Each structure stands twice: as C-alpha cells, then as structure tokens.
Amino acid sequence: MNLFLETFPAPPRVLRWLILAGAACLSMGASGADLKVGVISSLSGPVSALGIPYEKGIRAAHARFPEVAGHRVELIVLDDASDPTTAGRNARKLVNEDKVDVLIGTSGVPGAMAIAAVAQELKTPLISPTPISLPGREHDWTVAASQPFELMVSAVVKRMKAEGVRTVAFIGFSDALGDLAYDSLVRSAGEQGIEVVANERYARGDMSVAGQVLKIMARRPDAVFAGNSGTPGALPYLELANRRYAGRLYGTHGLINADFVRVGGRSIEGLEVPSGPVLVAEQLPAGDPIRAVSMAFRASYRQLYGAPPTDAFSAYTYDAYLVLADAAARVGADAGPPGTPAYRQALKDAIVSTRELAGTHGIYNFGRDSRYGSDERAVVMVRMEGGQWKLAAQPKPPGR
C-alpha cells in the first residue's frame, strides 16, 4: 500500500478505501472468506469492441488490488456473446452456482438490463459499466459506473447550440441503447430550441444504412447525431461520407475505441462526442483527483498489457472495481463473511451510500434515488482529428 501511495499520490478521500483495506489485511492477513466477483462481458459478437476492453479493465484493477478489505478477490468472467438472453443466464449461473457477492457487466444496454433483472430477483448487487435505464425501485440492486445518456447527450446538444446547429437528424440502433440516445436527444434538443428532424434506426448486425441516410439527406439537417456504439457505430458515418454530407457530426461516448476509429477512418474526421475525463487525463489540472486515478489506471493497464489503453471502456470496469472496493471496506463485521445473503445486502447498502469517490470517469455519489453516480465533472467534449481524440476547443460563436 505504501508503494502505491508513494507512486500515485492522491487526496485522502480518493484512497480512503485503500487505507482501510490495507489495515484489514495487516490485521487479518487476508485470511477472510474470498469475495467473489462475477463479471459478464461481450467477448465475442457485435458488441465485443466494447466487451473486450471491459474485461481488460477489470483485470487491470484486479491485478493492482487482488485483496479488498481483508478478502482475496476471485474474478469469474463469462462471455455473453453479445446476446442479452445469454447475459441473463450467465448472471443467474454466477449467483446460484458460483455464489458471487457482486455482479459487474455487461457491454450492451439490452444485456445489462437483463442482468439487472436477475440482480433484483436474486438480491445481488450489480455495478453496471454500461448506461442503462434504472426507473423506480425495481432496479434498486443496481448502480451504473457509466455516465447516464441524459448527462452525456445534454453536453453534446449544448455544443450543437454553441456551434449554431438548428436542426439535427438522429440515426441509431434499433434497441434499448438507441431508444436511450434518441429520448435523451429529444429532451435536450427541445430545451435548447433545436429541432430533431429524423429518427432512423438500424440493427447492430446490418451491413448497410444507405436507405436511412438517404432519408436523412432529404431533410437537409445542420447536423447528424448517431445513437450507437462500438464498431457497428461507424456504419452511418461511412455512408454519410459516401453521400458527401457536409454538416456537423456528433455521437455518443460509446464510440471511443480503437476499432471504431480504424473502421471509420477519414469518414469520422471532425466527429465530436462526449467522454469521461480519463481520455484526456494528462490535460487535467495537476491537483485534479480524477487525473490522479486516471494516471494510476493507465500505469496499471500498461504494466499488465505492455501498452497504454486506447479506449475509454476499459476504464469503466476499472471504476466499477473501485466502487466495489470502496464499499467493501465500509461493510461492517456484523454483516458476516462474503458468500451470504447478509453480506450481499450490506455490500449493496454500502455501494448505494458511496460519496465523493474519485474514479477515472468522474466523482461518484450514489443514493437511493440516484443510481447513476456521475455529475458534470464526468463529461468533457472530444473531437476526432487525424485519427486521434483531442479535447475539443471552445466553439466559435455562430456567424464568425
């Protein structure tokens, strides 16, 4: 622990759980029952461009912190093959057969929703690295480490307004992620006086969106916003470039990964998307707690894989692990050992009471009525320039 503190100094609150965990290890010798973490990710299929980084991020966190609050952490990782039904089945197996204490996953919104339903039924905490809809108390065993779509899309729409956009067309996935993105766009655009003139959809496995893009072109929008993610997210931009669309391009934080950049190529030049601060951590002020955690994450990732991360997704599962570790350090001894319903209940209560925990994507605060932990500190706007994501400059006022 001292080596970590010397190598990656950070404010006391950022590392509070590390200090507590270290003290527990000294007193217990990490001899308590194993804390089992069930991880579900899309390691194959159309969402694997997100799922593979998710797995890498959680393994980087586990490699740095193999013990938490006196418990050896056992990771059990399952592939859902980008299928929501498999994601739900995996969650049920992890809880019923492997007796995990917490679930983390998965890469796609439909799959994450399926896991959330199982988590609620079997009363097991879920930390989702994916932005999912969490209405009411029917998902009170779930929190999300990813920024909510409303927060991220609002930042994009404010950027549109500043850049003089008056009309925008939407194209997105024909699933829950597309619905989240579209609904968020409509709300934010209405607040900013921007008209949404099209709502086109396509499936993740589709090979062409020529028809949808032709309809968009006919509306002549000032901008196009895509509600998609991963490698399949490149399809609309490729077709817009093929049709020589000259308006502004926007997207979601689901596009920040190396495969999307490779496939999109020159068609995504100038694309603006929201991101967590981790993507531009070195440009944050020296005293920013997010910068400290982000640089520690990068070092841990590089040590494990021999190269720095090139995406924002691996950092989401790293943050999910930090949320788990912070909460586990606050679970009282009267909760009993991991592997019991009482421990899972206490762990859930501790997760929901997380306050001002610095991660790579923001500062996390959860509550009974706030299952997303992020606020405005979790958002920056980045722009694609020459194959690299760069912090977007302040927009020039319209007409100049």
Side-chain angles (χ1 to χ4, degrees), residues 131 146-158 184 188 225 251-254 256 273-277 316 361 375 378-381:
S146 177
Q147 303 91 336
F149 259 90
E150 291 84 355
L151 178 65
M152 299 302 250
V153 174
S154 175
V156 175
V157 173
K158 289 176 181 176
S184 299
S188 293
F225 174 84
T252 76
H253 47 311
I256 302 176
V273 304
S275 173
Y316 283 122
H361 274 283
D375 56 24
V379 189
V380 297
M381 288 296 299

PDB file of all heavy atoms in Angstrom, residues 131 146-158 184 188 225 251-254 256 273-277 316 361 375 378-381:
ATOM      1  N   PRO A 131     -24.413   2.417 -19.506  1.00  0.00           N
ATOM      2  CA  PRO A 131     -25.548   3.278 -19.140  1.00  0.00           C
ATOM      3  C   PRO A 131     -26.868   2.600 -19.444  1.00  0.00           C
ATOM      4  O   PRO A 131     -27.183   2.317 -20.594  1.00  0.00           O
ATOM      5  CB  PRO A 131     -25.338   4.519 -20.020  1.00  0.00           C
ATOM      6  CG  PRO A 131     -24.588   4.020 -21.206  1.00  0.00           C
ATOM      7  CD  PRO A 131     -23.706   2.912 -20.697  1.00  0.00           C
ATOM      8  N   SER A 146     -21.115   4.050 -15.494  1.00  0.00           N
ATOM      9  CA  SER A 146     -21.072   4.870 -16.707  1.00  0.00           C
ATOM     10  C   SER A 146     -21.964   6.096 -16.538  1.00  0.00           C
ATOM     11  O   SER A 146     -22.947   6.077 -15.797  1.00  0.00           O
ATOM     12  CB  SER A 146     -21.551   4.059 -17.907  1.00  0.00           C
ATOM     13  OG  SER A 146     -21.581   4.850 -19.075  1.00  0.00           O
ATOM     14  N   GLN A 147     -21.611   7.146 -17.242  1.00  0.00           N
ATOM     15  CA  GLN A 147     -22.431   8.342 -17.213  1.00  0.00           C
ATOM     16  C   GLN A 147     -23.784   8.065 -17.858  1.00  0.00           C
ATOM     17  O   GLN A 147     -23.870   7.347 -18.860  1.00  0.00           O
ATOM     18  CB  GLN A 147     -21.753   9.490 -17.964  1.00  0.00           C
ATOM     19  CG  GLN A 147     -20.369   9.856 -17.463  1.00  0.00           C
ATOM     20  CD  GLN A 147     -19.252   9.104 -18.155  1.00  0.00           C
ATOM     21  OE1 GLN A 147     -19.443   8.007 -18.689  1.00  0.00           O
ATOM     22  NE2 GLN A 147     -18.068   9.688 -18.166  1.00  0.00           N
ATOM     23  N   PRO A 148     -24.864   8.621 -17.319  1.00  0.00           N
ATOM     24  CA  PRO A 148     -26.175   8.438 -17.952  1.00  0.00           C
ATOM     25  C   PRO A 148     -26.233   9.137 -19.298  1.00  0.00           C
ATOM     26  O   PRO A 148     -25.570  10.165 -19.516  1.00  0.00           O
ATOM     27  CB  PRO A 148     -27.143   9.092 -16.953  1.00  0.00           C
ATOM     28  CG  PRO A 148     -26.311  10.067 -16.206  1.00  0.00           C
ATOM     29  CD  PRO A 148     -24.939   9.467 -16.115  1.00  0.00           C
ATOM     30  N   PHE A 149     -27.007   8.578 -20.193  1.00  0.00           N
ATOM     31  CA  PHE A 149     -27.119   9.172 -21.521  1.00  0.00           C
ATOM     32  C   PHE A 149     -27.609  10.618 -21.450  1.00  0.00           C
ATOM     33  O   PHE A 149     -27.177  11.473 -22.225  1.00  0.00           O
ATOM     34  CB  PHE A 149     -28.055   8.332 -22.404  1.00  0.00           C
ATOM     35  CG  PHE A 149     -27.317   7.446 -23.347  1.00  0.00           C
ATOM     36  CD1 PHE A 149     -26.956   6.165 -22.970  1.00  0.00           C
ATOM     37  CD2 PHE A 149     -26.953   7.890 -24.597  1.00  0.00           C
ATOM     38  CE1 PHE A 149     -26.256   5.339 -23.828  1.00  0.00           C
ATOM     39  CE2 PHE A 149     -26.253   7.075 -25.477  1.00  0.00           C
ATOM     40  CZ  PHE A 149     -25.896   5.794 -25.090  1.00  0.00           C
ATOM     41  N   GLU A 150     -28.523  10.895 -20.535  1.00  0.00           N
ATOM     42  CA  GLU A 150     -29.051  12.255 -20.437  1.00  0.00           C
ATOM     43  C   GLU A 150     -27.935  13.256 -20.194  1.00  0.00           C
ATOM     44  O   GLU A 150     -27.913  14.338 -20.791  1.00  0.00           O
ATOM     45  CB  GLU A 150     -30.086  12.341 -19.310  1.00  0.00           C
ATOM     46  CG  GLU A 150     -31.373  11.591 -19.585  1.00  0.00           C
ATOM     47  CD  GLU A 150     -31.285  10.111 -19.247  1.00  0.00           C
ATOM     48  OE1 GLU A 150     -30.169   9.648 -18.886  1.00  0.00           O
ATOM     49  OE2 GLU A 150     -32.311   9.421 -19.340  1.00  0.00           O
ATOM     50  N   LEU A 151     -26.990  12.919 -19.316  1.00  0.00           N
ATOM     51  CA  LEU A 151     -25.884  13.807 -19.000  1.00  0.00           C
ATOM     52  C   LEU A 151     -24.975  14.006 -20.207  1.00  0.00           C
ATOM     53  O   LEU A 151     -24.593  15.144 -20.538  1.00  0.00           O
ATOM     54  CB  LEU A 151     -25.086  13.226 -17.826  1.00  0.00           C
ATOM     55  CG  LEU A 151     -23.854  13.995 -17.372  1.00  0.00           C
ATOM     56  CD1 LEU A 151     -24.237  15.354 -16.797  1.00  0.00           C
ATOM     57  CD2 LEU A 151     -23.068  13.183 -16.329  1.00  0.00           C
ATOM     58  N   MET A 152     -24.627  12.908 -20.869  1.00  0.00           N
ATOM     59  CA  MET A 152     -23.692  12.991 -21.988  1.00  0.00           C
ATOM     60  C   MET A 152     -24.323  13.663 -23.208  1.00  0.00           C
ATOM     61  O   MET A 152     -23.692  14.504 -23.868  1.00  0.00           O
ATOM     62  CB  MET A 152     -23.198  11.589 -22.353  1.00  0.00           C
ATOM     63  CG  MET A 152     -22.451  10.890 -21.241  1.00  0.00           C
ATOM     64  SD  MET A 152     -20.994  11.814 -20.679  1.00  0.00           S
ATOM     65  CE  MET A 152     -19.662  10.788 -21.284  1.00  0.00           C
ATOM     66  N   VAL A 153     -25.558  13.303 -23.505  1.00  0.00           N
ATOM     67  CA  VAL A 153     -26.223  13.890 -24.673  1.00  0.00           C
ATOM     68  C   VAL A 153     -26.499  15.368 -24.440  1.00  0.00           C
ATOM     69  O   VAL A 153     -26.417  16.182 -25.367  1.00  0.00           O
ATOM     70  CB  VAL A 153     -27.509  13.115 -25.011  1.00  0.00           C
ATOM     71  CG1 VAL A 153     -28.272  13.810 -26.137  1.00  0.00           C
ATOM     72  CG2 VAL A 153     -27.170  11.682 -25.421  1.00  0.00           C
ATOM     73  N   SER A 154     -26.801  15.742 -23.215  1.00  0.00           N
ATOM     74  CA  SER A 154     -27.007  17.150 -22.904  1.00  0.00           C
ATOM     75  C   SER A 154     -25.761  17.966 -23.228  1.00  0.00           C
ATOM     76  O   SER A 154     -25.850  19.080 -23.770  1.00  0.00           O
ATOM     77  CB  SER A 154     -27.372  17.317 -21.429  1.00  0.00           C
ATOM     78  OG  SER A 154     -27.474  18.675 -21.073  1.00  0.00           O
ATOM     79  N   ALA A 155     -24.584  17.414 -22.922  1.00  0.00           N
ATOM     80  CA  ALA A 155     -23.338  18.106 -23.245  1.00  0.00           C
ATOM     81  C   ALA A 155     -23.163  18.259 -24.748  1.00  0.00           C
ATOM     82  O   ALA A 155     -22.688  19.294 -25.239  1.00  0.00           O
ATOM     83  CB  ALA A 155     -22.156  17.346 -22.650  1.00  0.00           C
ATOM     84  N   VAL A 156     -23.554  17.220 -25.499  1.00  0.00           N
ATOM     85  CA  VAL A 156     -23.460  17.286 -26.955  1.00  0.00           C
ATOM     86  C   VAL A 156     -24.392  18.359 -27.507  1.00  0.00           C
ATOM     87  O   VAL A 156     -24.013  19.155 -28.377  1.00  0.00           O
ATOM     88  CB  VAL A 156     -23.791  15.921 -27.583  1.00  0.00           C
ATOM     89  CG1 VAL A 156     -23.816  16.027 -29.111  1.00  0.00           C
ATOM     90  CG2 VAL A 156     -22.787  14.865 -27.149  1.00  0.00           C
ATOM     91  N   VAL A 157     -25.621  18.385 -27.008  1.00  0.00           N
ATOM     92  CA  VAL A 157     -26.603  19.344 -27.517  1.00  0.00           C
ATOM     93  C   VAL A 157     -26.199  20.773 -27.186  1.00  0.00           C
ATOM     94  O   VAL A 157     -26.384  21.692 -28.007  1.00  0.00           O
ATOM     95  CB  VAL A 157     -28.006  19.015 -26.971  1.00  0.00           C
ATOM     96  CG1 VAL A 157     -29.000  20.106 -27.348  1.00  0.00           C
ATOM     97  CG2 VAL A 157     -28.477  17.667 -27.511  1.00  0.00           C
ATOM     98  N   LYS A 158     -25.633  20.986 -26.015  1.00  0.00           N
ATOM     99  CA  LYS A 158     -25.129  22.320 -25.686  1.00  0.00           C
ATOM    100  C   LYS A 158     -24.021  22.723 -26.656  1.00  0.00           C
ATOM    101  O   LYS A 158     -23.908  23.884 -27.048  1.00  0.00           O
ATOM    102  CB  LYS A 158     -24.624  22.351 -24.247  1.00  0.00           C
ATOM    103  CG  LYS A 158     -25.738  22.283 -23.216  1.00  0.00           C
ATOM    104  CD  LYS A 158     -25.179  22.223 -21.797  1.00  0.00           C
ATOM    105  CE  LYS A 158     -26.308  22.121 -20.775  1.00  0.00           C
ATOM    106  NZ  LYS A 158     -25.778  21.970 -19.386  1.00  0.00           N
ATOM    107  N   SER A 184     -33.009  10.939 -25.042  1.00  0.00           N
ATOM    108  CA  SER A 184     -32.163  11.968 -24.431  1.00  0.00           C
ATOM    109  C   SER A 184     -31.958  13.136 -25.384  1.00  0.00           C
ATOM    110  O   SER A 184     -31.955  14.307 -24.964  1.00  0.00           O
ATOM    111  CB  SER A 184     -30.806  11.376 -24.040  1.00  0.00           C
ATOM    112  OG  SER A 184     -30.946  10.333 -23.099  1.00  0.00           O
ATOM    113  N   SER A 188     -33.121  17.092 -24.632  1.00  0.00           N
ATOM    114  CA  SER A 188     -32.113  18.151 -24.580  1.00  0.00           C
ATOM    115  C   SER A 188     -32.267  19.124 -25.738  1.00  0.00           C
ATOM    116  O   SER A 188     -32.102  20.335 -25.565  1.00  0.00           O
ATOM    117  CB  SER A 188     -30.706  17.540 -24.590  1.00  0.00           C
ATOM    118  OG  SER A 188     -30.450  16.826 -23.402  1.00  0.00           O
ATOM    119  N   PHE A 225     -26.683  13.247 -35.496  1.00  0.00           N
ATOM    120  CA  PHE A 225     -26.275  12.653 -34.212  1.00  0.00           C
ATOM    121  C   PHE A 225     -26.577  11.158 -34.277  1.00  0.00           C
ATOM    122  O   PHE A 225     -27.711  10.758 -34.563  1.00  0.00           O
ATOM    123  CB  PHE A 225     -27.038  13.285 -33.053  1.00  0.00           C
ATOM    124  CG  PHE A 225     -26.769  12.635 -31.719  1.00  0.00           C
ATOM    125  CD1 PHE A 225     -25.663  12.996 -30.976  1.00  0.00           C
ATOM    126  CD2 PHE A 225     -27.618  11.670 -31.212  1.00  0.00           C
ATOM    127  CE1 PHE A 225     -25.406  12.404 -29.747  1.00  0.00           C
ATOM    128  CE2 PHE A 225     -27.381  11.074 -29.981  1.00  0.00           C
ATOM    129  CZ  PHE A 225     -26.263  11.447 -29.251  1.00  0.00           C
ATOM    130  N   GLY A 251     -21.841  12.234 -31.882  1.00  0.00           N
ATOM    131  CA  GLY A 251     -22.112  10.858 -31.479  1.00  0.00           C
ATOM    132  C   GLY A 251     -22.091  10.727 -29.963  1.00  0.00           C
ATOM    133  O   GLY A 251     -22.018  11.712 -29.241  1.00  0.00           O
ATOM    134  N   THR A 252     -22.126   9.489 -29.499  1.00  0.00           N
ATOM    135  CA  THR A 252     -22.148   9.202 -28.066  1.00  0.00           C
ATOM    136  C   THR A 252     -20.772   8.753 -27.583  1.00  0.00           C
ATOM    137  O   THR A 252     -19.864   8.490 -28.381  1.00  0.00           O
ATOM    138  CB  THR A 252     -23.159   8.091 -27.736  1.00  0.00           C
ATOM    139  OG1 THR A 252     -22.595   6.824 -28.135  1.00  0.00           O
ATOM    140  CG2 THR A 252     -24.482   8.309 -28.448  1.00  0.00           C
ATOM    141  N   HIS A 253     -20.658   8.612 -26.269  1.00  0.00           N
ATOM    142  CA  HIS A 253     -19.415   8.132 -25.669  1.00  0.00           C
ATOM    143  C   HIS A 253     -19.182   6.655 -25.954  1.00  0.00           C
ATOM    144  O   HIS A 253     -18.118   6.123 -25.619  1.00  0.00           O
ATOM    145  CB  HIS A 253     -19.401   8.394 -24.171  1.00  0.00           C
ATOM    146  CG  HIS A 253     -20.645   7.999 -23.437  1.00  0.00           C
ATOM    147  ND1 HIS A 253     -21.907   8.355 -23.839  1.00  0.00           N
ATOM    148  CD2 HIS A 253     -20.820   7.278 -22.292  1.00  0.00           C
ATOM    149  CE1 HIS A 253     -22.800   7.882 -22.998  1.00  0.00           C
ATOM    150  NE2 HIS A 253     -22.174   7.214 -22.054  1.00  0.00           N
ATOM    151  N   GLY A 254     -20.145   6.000 -26.587  1.00  0.00           N
ATOM    152  CA  GLY A 254     -19.985   4.598 -26.940  1.00  0.00           C
ATOM    153  C   GLY A 254     -19.086   4.373 -28.143  1.00  0.00           C
ATOM    154  O   GLY A 254     -18.880   3.225 -28.559  1.00  0.00           O
ATOM    155  N   ILE A 256     -15.841   5.583 -28.422  1.00  0.00           N
ATOM    156  CA  ILE A 256     -14.415   5.808 -28.144  1.00  0.00           C
ATOM    157  C   ILE A 256     -13.702   4.487 -27.947  1.00  0.00           C
ATOM    158  O   ILE A 256     -13.524   4.000 -26.826  1.00  0.00           O
ATOM    159  CB  ILE A 256     -14.247   6.743 -26.930  1.00  0.00           C
ATOM    160  CG1 ILE A 256     -14.951   8.069 -27.209  1.00  0.00           C
ATOM    161  CG2 ILE A 256     -12.768   6.980 -26.646  1.00  0.00           C
ATOM    162  CD1 ILE A 256     -14.941   9.028 -26.051  1.00  0.00           C
ATOM    163  N   VAL A 273     -17.780  13.984 -29.777  1.00  0.00           N
ATOM    164  CA  VAL A 273     -18.505  13.104 -28.866  1.00  0.00           C
ATOM    165  C   VAL A 273     -18.163  13.485 -27.420  1.00  0.00           C
ATOM    166  O   VAL A 273     -17.122  14.084 -27.155  1.00  0.00           O
ATOM    167  CB  VAL A 273     -18.158  11.615 -29.110  1.00  0.00           C
ATOM    168  CG1 VAL A 273     -18.410  11.217 -30.558  1.00  0.00           C
ATOM    169  CG2 VAL A 273     -16.719  11.326 -28.719  1.00  0.00           C
ATOM    170  N   PRO A 274     -19.029  13.104 -26.483  1.00  0.00           N
ATOM    171  CA  PRO A 274     -18.698  13.308 -25.071  1.00  0.00           C
ATOM    172  C   PRO A 274     -17.836  12.165 -24.566  1.00  0.00           C
ATOM    173  O   PRO A 274     -17.858  11.058 -25.101  1.00  0.00           O
ATOM    174  CB  PRO A 274     -20.073  13.292 -24.402  1.00  0.00           C
ATOM    175  CG  PRO A 274     -20.868  12.338 -25.244  1.00  0.00           C
ATOM    176  CD  PRO A 274     -20.375  12.511 -26.656  1.00  0.00           C
ATOM    177  N   SER A 275     -17.069  12.426 -23.527  1.00  0.00           N
ATOM    178  CA  SER A 275     -16.227  11.383 -22.945  1.00  0.00           C
ATOM    179  C   SER A 275     -16.027  11.655 -21.466  1.00  0.00           C
ATOM    180  O   SER A 275     -16.242  12.772 -20.993  1.00  0.00           O
ATOM    181  CB  SER A 275     -14.858  11.358 -23.640  1.00  0.00           C
ATOM    182  OG  SER A 275     -13.960  10.465 -22.982  1.00  0.00           O
ATOM    183  N   GLY A 276     -15.598  10.624 -20.767  1.00  0.00           N
ATOM    184  CA  GLY A 276     -15.137  10.820 -19.407  1.00  0.00           C
ATOM    185  C   GLY A 276     -13.762  11.460 -19.427  1.00  0.00           C
ATOM    186  O   GLY A 276     -13.029  11.374 -20.430  1.00  0.00           O
ATOM    187  N   PRO A 277     -13.348  12.113 -18.354  1.00  0.00           N
ATOM    188  CA  PRO A 277     -12.061  12.812 -18.317  1.00  0.00           C
ATOM    189  C   PRO A 277     -10.847  11.920 -18.539  1.00  0.00           C
ATOM    190  O   PRO A 277      -9.780  12.409 -18.905  1.00  0.00           O
ATOM    191  CB  PRO A 277     -12.032  13.434 -16.914  1.00  0.00           C
ATOM    192  CG  PRO A 277     -13.460  13.525 -16.501  1.00  0.00           C
ATOM    193  CD  PRO A 277     -14.129  12.336 -17.125  1.00  0.00           C
ATOM    194  N   TYR A 316     -14.158   2.053 -17.461  1.00  0.00           N
ATOM    195  CA  TYR A 316     -15.451   1.907 -16.782  1.00  0.00           C
ATOM    196  C   TYR A 316     -15.443   0.722 -15.822  1.00  0.00           C
ATOM    197  O   TYR A 316     -15.938   0.818 -14.686  1.00  0.00           O
ATOM    198  CB  TYR A 316     -16.575   1.734 -17.797  1.00  0.00           C
ATOM    199  CG  TYR A 316     -17.000   3.008 -18.471  1.00  0.00           C
ATOM    200  CD1 TYR A 316     -16.946   3.133 -19.858  1.00  0.00           C
ATOM    201  CD2 TYR A 316     -17.475   4.089 -17.741  1.00  0.00           C
ATOM    202  CE1 TYR A 316     -17.332   4.304 -20.487  1.00  0.00           C
ATOM    203  CE2 TYR A 316     -17.870   5.265 -18.366  1.00  0.00           C
ATOM    204  CZ  TYR A 316     -17.800   5.363 -19.746  1.00  0.00           C
ATOM    205  OH  TYR A 316     -18.178   6.531 -20.359  1.00  0.00           O
ATOM    206  N   HIS A 361     -13.536   8.189 -14.622  1.00  0.00           N
ATOM    207  CA  HIS A 361     -14.573   8.837 -15.418  1.00  0.00           C
ATOM    208  C   HIS A 361     -15.329   9.919 -14.658  1.00  0.00           C
ATOM    209  O   HIS A 361     -16.217  10.556 -15.228  1.00  0.00           O
ATOM    210  CB  HIS A 361     -15.572   7.799 -15.937  1.00  0.00           C
ATOM    211  CG  HIS A 361     -15.151   7.155 -17.224  1.00  0.00           C
ATOM    212  ND1 HIS A 361     -15.268   7.774 -18.443  1.00  0.00           N
ATOM    213  CD2 HIS A 361     -14.591   5.943 -17.473  1.00  0.00           C
ATOM    214  CE1 HIS A 361     -14.817   6.981 -19.397  1.00  0.00           C
ATOM    215  NE2 HIS A 361     -14.396   5.855 -18.836  1.00  0.00           N
ATOM    216  N   ASP A 375     -21.832  13.286 -12.273  1.00  0.00           N
ATOM    217  CA  ASP A 375     -22.373  14.622 -12.469  1.00  0.00           C
ATOM    218  C   ASP A 375     -21.544  15.310 -13.562  1.00  0.00           C
ATOM    219  O   ASP A 375     -20.801  14.641 -14.295  1.00  0.00           O
ATOM    220  CB  ASP A 375     -22.375  15.423 -11.168  1.00  0.00           C
ATOM    221  CG  ASP A 375     -20.995  15.521 -10.516  1.00  0.00           C
ATOM    222  OD1 ASP A 375     -19.975  15.385 -11.225  1.00  0.00           O
ATOM    223  OD2 ASP A 375     -20.930  15.721  -9.293  1.00  0.00           O
ATOM    224  N   ALA A 378     -17.989  14.575 -14.840  1.00  0.00           N
ATOM    225  CA  ALA A 378     -17.699  13.342 -15.565  1.00  0.00           C
ATOM    226  C   ALA A 378     -17.731  13.529 -17.080  1.00  0.00           C
ATOM    227  O   ALA A 378     -17.659  12.542 -17.815  1.00  0.00           O
ATOM    228  CB  ALA A 378     -18.698  12.256 -15.172  1.00  0.00           C
ATOM    229  N   VAL A 379     -17.838  14.767 -17.570  1.00  0.00           N
ATOM    230  CA  VAL A 379     -18.028  14.981 -19.005  1.00  0.00           C
ATOM    231  C   VAL A 379     -17.029  15.989 -19.564  1.00  0.00           C
ATOM    232  O   VAL A 379     -16.856  17.081 -19.011  1.00  0.00           O
ATOM    233  CB  VAL A 379     -19.446  15.502 -19.314  1.00  0.00           C
ATOM    234  CG1 VAL A 379     -19.684  15.499 -20.828  1.00  0.00           C
ATOM    235  CG2 VAL A 379     -20.505  14.672 -18.610  1.00  0.00           C
ATOM    236  N   VAL A 380     -16.386  15.606 -20.644  1.00  0.00           N
ATOM    237  CA  VAL A 380     -15.638  16.530 -21.495  1.00  0.00           C
ATOM    238  C   VAL A 380     -16.057  16.255 -22.936  1.00  0.00           C
ATOM    239  O   VAL A 380     -16.545  15.158 -23.242  1.00  0.00           O
ATOM    240  CB  VAL A 380     -14.109  16.369 -21.353  1.00  0.00           C
ATOM    241  CG1 VAL A 380     -13.651  16.686 -19.945  1.00  0.00           C
ATOM    242  CG2 VAL A 380     -13.665  14.961 -21.753  1.00  0.00           C
ATOM    243  N   MET A 381     -15.883  17.216 -23.831  1.00  0.00           N
ATOM    244  CA  MET A 381     -16.153  17.016 -25.249  1.00  0.00           C
ATOM    245  C   MET A 381     -14.833  16.817 -25.973  1.00  0.00           C
ATOM    246  O   MET A 381     -13.879  17.570 -25.768  1.00  0.00           O
ATOM    247  CB  MET A 381     -16.904  18.207 -25.835  1.00  0.00           C
ATOM    248  CG  MET A 381     -18.350  18.321 -25.409  1.00  0.00           C
ATOM    249  SD  MET A 381     -19.408  16.944 -25.966  1.00  0.00           S
ATOM    250  CE  MET A 381     -19.283  17.079 -27.754  1.00  0.00           C
TER     251      MET A 381
END
